Amino acid sequence: MKMKLKKLMLVVSTLAVSLLLVACGSSGDKKEGGSETKTIGISMPSKALERWEKDGNFMKDQFEKKDYKTDVQYAQDSVPTQVSQIENMITKNVDVLVIAPIDGEALSDVVAKAKKQDIPVLAYDRLIMHAEGVDYYATFDNFKVGVLQGQFIVDKLNLEKEAGPFNIELFGGAPDDNNAKFFFDGAMSILQPYIDDKKLVVKSGQTDFNKIAIKNWDGATAQARMDNLLSSAYTKDQVDAVLAPNDAIAVGVVSSLKGVGYGKEDRKMPIITGQDAEAASVKSIIAEEQTMTVFKNTQKLAEAAVKMVDEMVAGEKVEVNDKDTYDNGKKVVPTYLLEPVVADKDNYKEILIDSGYLKESEVKK
Ligand code: BGC
């Protein structure tokens, strides 16, 4: 009788544990010692920019060091591909989703599916809009990125002392990327007073974000727009500065300018901003074509994301440092912000090479 009771209790408790596992919806395998390996689904926009590949690799390494499994997918900048990759991760019942959206407006349905299945979501670098299910957001201070670009232009043209006027043209990032508006607003917070004072002149007259935004952050589209600006507004005048929000767009702008003879003794390159510290742009900075880039150390962003996920999984308090800025239309998403910094010809060695972010060999001509 005693034996039978014991057996029954064993069956009941095993059943209870299995039920608990099903209820938790965990995809985890049992590890020795009984704890579980959690799987993190990581959805990145594309490999077109070095930075996203670095982000994916850094996260994979750091999650695996902490005994997580990862499923890292890149969506080749195709929204339907990204949606179906995330749907697959949900079907596989990953434990947490980390997502950098291609189109911030296009993931509300898939995030709702994740929420239904109690899968927490961390928006990575770019905010996911109109989605209740976004739990946290890890990114760089996007407004500050623009401020650094604007301030760099003001300092290099010495606008505090010089009367000018100087000619400037403005570029914006992808209109469906929530970051792009922050970058632009940050830059304009610095540049607008000089435009109002007529120390800076936008000869094309194009200052509206929707007019200057570059779909998909595409360098070739930026090059075509710069070609148009040069042939319509700069047949007689020089352009002195170009606000380019990232390196991909700066590369397009530089090609266009070189095409009409900028970068020679009698026609010097304008001040050209950028962002991401892509190797090609750092080479261009060393060659005095592009002038600066905003460096966002993606290793640090990956570390922050891993820490937040770790805290989410453990049910601990997730550390954030911004609870006001990032409203996705449904909620203000608690955010952890990192600081961007300027890299130019004078400091790139210290900032980019000594930190190990890029190798000297990658930025040599
Ligand atoms: C990122 C930038 C990047 C751009 C294009 C933005 O959301 O914050 O670092 O240059 O997307 O991929």
Side-chain angles (χ1 to χ4, degrees):
M1 182 65 187
K2 251 190 179 170
M3 210 38 204
K4 264 194 179 167
L5 193 69
K6 253 192 177 169
K7 240 186 175 174
L8 190 72
M9 277 171 66
L10 196 73
V11 170
V12 170
S13 61
T14 319
L15 210 86
V17 169
S18 328
L19 275 175
L20 197 75
L21 279 179
V22 171
C24 289
S26 171
S27 63
D29 301 337
K30 273 237 165 192
K31 280 200 309 190
E32 267 173 56
S35 63
E36 265 179 39
T37 310
K38 304 276 185 195
T39 302
I40 313 301
I42 300 172
S43 169
M44 292 285 111
S46 78
K47 286 191 177 178
L49 288 196
E50 275 161 28
R51 74 146 291 182
W52 298 117
E53 200 167 353
K54 282 190 173 165
D55 291 79
N57 290 339
F58 285 142
M59 272 194 277
K60 184 173 159 54
D61 282 357
Q62 292 175 33
F63 273 123
E64 287 174 3
K65 268 193 198 129
K66 286 187 170 262
D67 282 339
Y68 287 94
K69 276 193 191 166
T70 53
D71 179 0
V72 188
Q73 303 284 338
Y74 295 86
Q76 295 107 39
D77 275 324
S78 148
V79 175
T81 305
Q82 183 164 44
V83 170
S84 80
Q85 287 174 339
I86 298 171
E87 270 168 354
N88 261 327
M89 292 173 183
I90 297 174
T91 308
K92 285 192 210 148
N93 215 1
V94 295
D95 294 278
V96 180
L97 281 166
V98 178
I99 304 171
I102 296 163
D103 177 346
E105 308 278 338
L107 299 183
S108 341
D109 289 351
V110 77
V111 168
K113 276 187 198 161
K115 181 151 180 99
K116 232 181 180 174
Q117 231 165 279
D118 283 334
I119 302 175
V121 175
L122 173 71
Y124 183 88
D125 192 88
R126 298 172 174 173
L127 187 55
I128 301 168
M129 306 303 285
H130 311 296
E132 198 62 64
V134 184
D135 296 283
Y136 293 98
Y137 180 32
T139 192
F140 284 86
D141 186 335
N142 293 303
F143 190 85
K144 173 98 183 271
V145 169
V147 167
L148 293 176
Q149 293 168 338
Q151 194 57 51
F152 188 90
I153 291 174
V154 166
D155 293 345
K156 287 289 157 179
L157 293 178
N158 200 11
L159 291 185
E160 279 307 303
K161 299 226 171 76
E162 298 286 332
F166 295 99
N167 296 325
I168 186 170
E169 289 298 331
L170 312 168
F171 283 71
D176 54 10
D177 179 346
N178 188 56
N179 288 352
K181 196 75 196 341
F182 276 89
F183 300 148
F184 186 61
D185 288 347
M188 291 310 271
S189 73
I190 303 293
L191 298 174
Q192 190 65 53
Y194 296 97
I195 296 176
D196 293 344
D197 278 0
K198 307 210 170 14
K199 275 197 172 186
L200 282 177
V201 177
V202 184
K203 283 190 67 75
S204 69
Q206 297 180 7
T207 54
D208 181 46
F209 178 74
N210 293 315
K211 192 88 192 165
I212 61 153
I214 299 292
K215 222 170 153 237
N216 290 333
W217 297 91
D218 180 49
T221 309
Q223 181 166 352
R225 176 167 181 258
M226 192 71 206
D227 287 348
N228 281 334
L229 294 175
L230 289 171
S231 62
S232 57
Y234 294 93
T235 47
K236 291 199 202 82
D237 300 296
Q238 297 272 333
V239 57
D240 302 302
V242 179
L243 173 73
N246 83 341
D247 287 350
I249 290 175
V251 166
V253 167
V254 166
S255 301
S256 173
L257 287 161
K258 280 166 85 174
V260 295
Y262 280 84
K264 308 225 166 86
E265 294 86 68
D266 53 335
R267 225 181 181 194
K268 65 180 183 94
M269 271 289 178
I271 312 296
I272 304 168
T273 60
Q275 167 179 200
D276 292 334
E278 298 265 306
S281 277
V282 178
K283 269 189 193 169
S284 170
I285 289 171
I286 297 168
E288 298 185 346
E289 292 169 347
Q290 190 175 324
T291 329
M292 65 87 90
T293 186
V294 175
F295 173 48
K296 304 191 298 189
N297 191 337
T298 50
Q299 179 148 19
K300 297 274 180 264
L301 184 59
E303 271 167 29
V306 171
K307 179 170 173 282
M308 288 168 98
V309 167
D310 221 18
E311 288 162 348
M312 283 154 95
V313 167
E316 288 165 8
K317 190 165 177 280
V318 177
E319 193 191 333
V320 294
N321 55 16
D322 185 307
K323 290 186 180 165
D324 311 307
T325 311
Y326 289 98
D327 189 340
N328 79 351
K330 289 274 184 208
K331 66 196 272 195
V332 179
V333 184
T335 301
Y336 191 83
L337 285 180
L338 288 99
E339 284 291 302
V341 293
V342 168
D344 65 4
K345 200 177 179 196
D346 296 335
N347 72 1
Y348 83 92
K349 273 207 176 119
E350 189 190 323
I351 295 205
L352 302 173
I353 312 290
D354 297 352
S355 68
Y357 192 78
L358 288 172
K359 293 195 196 75
E360 186 86 60
S361 60
E362 290 175 278
V363 301
K364 284 241 164 81
K365 274 271 175 199

